[in-house]
């Protein structure tokens, strides 16, 4: 298992968002997570990379309780992709991706080669020295996907990666994620609102409803 949640609860003040949640993602699995706006999807993802802390329950990533790991150890096991791309505006595409490798203290040449390999794979070989503003939304998200993969994570968490994209581009990004999941051997948990996209992708999904997570 790459993710295990056992009886996880989280409230904001007296707003109970997750209650005794059980959830698992197998190693090398691809799954969607859906649910109404405000149901707790982003809360679940934020608990996984410890942007916020649970109130109770166990969370294991790759077999280890995340409360017992240093945050940087936890975060290098995972890559995250957001709706708003979160690219640095003053850095080029290549720099945005390479910067994700700096914290690990790898040789620059190795980081550089891996960044170019991934950017070529996501179709941006001709845009390495462009700035985010010079790219379409889909190209910005491809950059973010390459960045998320740079450190060879076990797991990619994607919170509405297609939320700012039109339908065709959304399908393109999800197809790319699915292919990379297979090629790079990385587990993925992808949040999306779009039932239609989930059906088109024909993948396993989970839903959050009433504070619980159910397998569909
Ligand atoms: N920092 C916070 N403080 C207080 N309440 C919060 C906080 N973050 C989220 N909430 C509340 O918790 C609930 C779940 O929020 P969350 O962001 O997890 O929902 P979501 O399923 O990701 O929704 P969306 O689909 O709109 O992104 C919402 O009612 C939200 O208002
Ligand atoms: Mg959300």
């Amino acid at each position: 298992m790459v993710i295990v949640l056992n009886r996880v609860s989280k409230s904001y003040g007296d707003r109970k968002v997750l209650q005794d949640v059980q959830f698992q993602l197998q190693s090398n699995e691809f799954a969607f997570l859906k649910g109404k706006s405000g149901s707790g999807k982003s809360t679940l993802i934020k608990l996984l990379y410890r942007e916020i802390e649970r109130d109770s329950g166990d969370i294991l990533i790759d077999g280890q309780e995340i409360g017992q790991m240093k945050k940087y150890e936890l975060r290098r096991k995972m890559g995250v992709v957001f709706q708003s791309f979160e690219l640095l505006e003053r850095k080029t595409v290549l720099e945005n991706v390479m910067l994700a490798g700096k914290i690990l203290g790898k040789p620059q040449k190795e980081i550089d080669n891996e960044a170019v390999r991934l950017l070529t794979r996501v179709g941006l070989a001709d845009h390495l020295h462009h700035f985010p503003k010079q790219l379409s939304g889909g190209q910005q998200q491809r950059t973010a996907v390459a960045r998320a993969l740079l450190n060879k994570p076990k797991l990619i968490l994607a919170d509405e990666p297609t939320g700012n994209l039109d339908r065709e581009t959304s399908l393109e990004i999800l197809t790319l994620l699915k292919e990379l999941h297979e090629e790079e051997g990385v587990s993925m948990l992808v949040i999306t609102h779009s039932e239609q996209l989930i059906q088109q992708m024909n993948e396993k999904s989970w839903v959050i409803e009433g504070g619980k997570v159910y397998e569909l």
Side-chain angles (χ1 to χ4, degrees), residues 52-75:
I52 57 173
E53 301 291 337
R54 77 204 99 152
D55 300 330
S56 57
D58 310 314
I59 305 179
L60 284 80
I61 298 283
D62 198 21
Q64 271 182 287
E65 167 54 57
I66 63 172
Q68 285 168 7
M69 295 160 78
K70 298 219 161 60
K71 265 191 198 166
Y72 76 86
E73 287 173 321
L74 172 68
R75 288 179 184 177

Side-chain angles (χ1 to χ4, degrees), residues 22-38:
Q22 303 289 132
F23 172 80
Q24 308 91 41
L25 188 77
Q26 314 269 357
S27 297
N28 217 358
E29 188 177 357
F30 183 106
F32 285 110
L33 177 64
K34 64 179 184 178
K36 294 206 176 98
S37 183

Side-chain angles (χ1 to χ4, degrees), residues 12-13 15 17 35-44 46 52 83 159-160 191 193 208:
Y12 297 104
R15 168 91 173 83
V17 177
K36 294 206 176 98
S37 183
S39 58
K41 303 180 297 298
S42 295
T43 297
L44 191 151
K46 286 175 185 167
I52 57 173
Q83 175 171 352
D159 191 348
E160 306 249 15
I191 293 180
H193 261 113
I208 304 194

Side-chain angles (χ1 to χ4, degrees), residues 74-157:
L74 172 68
R75 288 179 184 177
R76 80 183 172 204
K77 287 183 186 285
M78 54 179 69
V80 280
V81 178
F82 301 99
Q83 175 171 352
S84 51
F85 323 129
E86 310 277 335
L87 300 173
L88 301 172
E89 294 296 330
R90 289 164 177 274
K91 302 284 178 191
T92 63
V93 163
L94 181 60
E95 287 166 346
N96 264 283
V97 174
M98 288 190 325
L99 278 170
K102 286 230 189 282
I103 38 164
L104 298 188
K106 282 195 195 152
Q108 192 57 46
K109 190 77 198 146
E110 208 177 297
I111 296 174
D112 198 351
N113 290 342
E114 181 64 357
V116 172
R117 177 184 80 84
L118 286 165
L119 283 165
T120 302
R121 173 59 189 86
V122 303
L124 292 173
D126 294 338
H127 294 77
L128 299 180
H129 305 296
H130 286 56
F131 288 90
K133 278 206 175 82
Q134 301 172 307
L135 303 180
S136 69
Q139 289 171 329
Q140 291 188 53
Q141 196 59 299
R142 285 167 184 272
T143 306
V145 168
R147 178 180 59 186
L149 284 164
L150 186 76
N151 296 320
K152 303 191 187 309
K154 295 259 178 189
L155 172 67
I156 297 275
L157 300 172

